[in-house]
Amino acid sequence: MRALVVYESMFGNTSAVAEFIAQGLREHADVEVVNVAAAAECPAPTVNLLVVGGPTHTFGLSRPQTRSDAARHTDAPIATDIGVREWLDAALPVPPGHRAAAFGTKMAKPSWLPGSAARGIGKRLRRLGYSLADQPMDFLVEHTTGPLTAGELERARVWAARIAYTELDRIMHHT
């Protein structure tokens, strides 16, 4: 099984989650992890499972303006022109049978804070024709720039390993 993890990250938190998701997937799949800016330069992925993630900005997926705002809080280079939103909006629909999963990072507190990049990604993936392998999953950060809440990286690894196992089993019994 082949999997591709595409992520957008401002402060390194979503990138760290993407790497731990890749670790979990690697228990059952060959995995490539790619930043969304690099993914935008590649042709459409030919994989068994596409996993897409990004940070929650202003209750949903980032936009050029929210990425510019985030860039003011870090010395790390942030691509403000391309994010998961734009990448998915430019993607071509896929035929039935393609599988995907969505994840995001969002603030742990206040817990009532609405919005989720993961849910927005999941909606866009479904619109493109993907069937979701699991419900969109949020991983929590303590503050805008991080760090991730204790235990979130391990939770990401376990979530991905479960998805990979289920998807491999689905492939083995349906081909």
Side-chain angles (χ1 to χ4, degrees), residues 7 13 15 28 34 44-45 62 69 79 91 113 127 141 144 148 154 164:
Y7 70 91
N13 299 301
S15 173
H28 303 285
V34 181
S62 74
D69 293 344
L113 198 64
R127 260 189 245 135
V141 295
T144 301
L148 285 152
E154 180 59 15

Side-chain angles (χ1 to χ4, degrees), residues 16-41:
V17 170
E19 290 296 336
F20 272 75
I21 286 171
Q23 282 182 22
L25 293 172
R26 282 187 185 109
E27 294 180 21
H28 303 285
D30 292 324
V31 183
E32 183 178 1
V33 182
V34 181
N35 181 290
V36 70
E41 303 299 319

Side-chain angles (χ1 to χ4, degrees), residues 131-143:
S131 296
L132 295 187
D134 197 18
Q135 293 298 314
M137 183 63 66
D138 283 307
F139 298 96
L140 304 176
V141 295
E142 292 299 314
H143 305 285

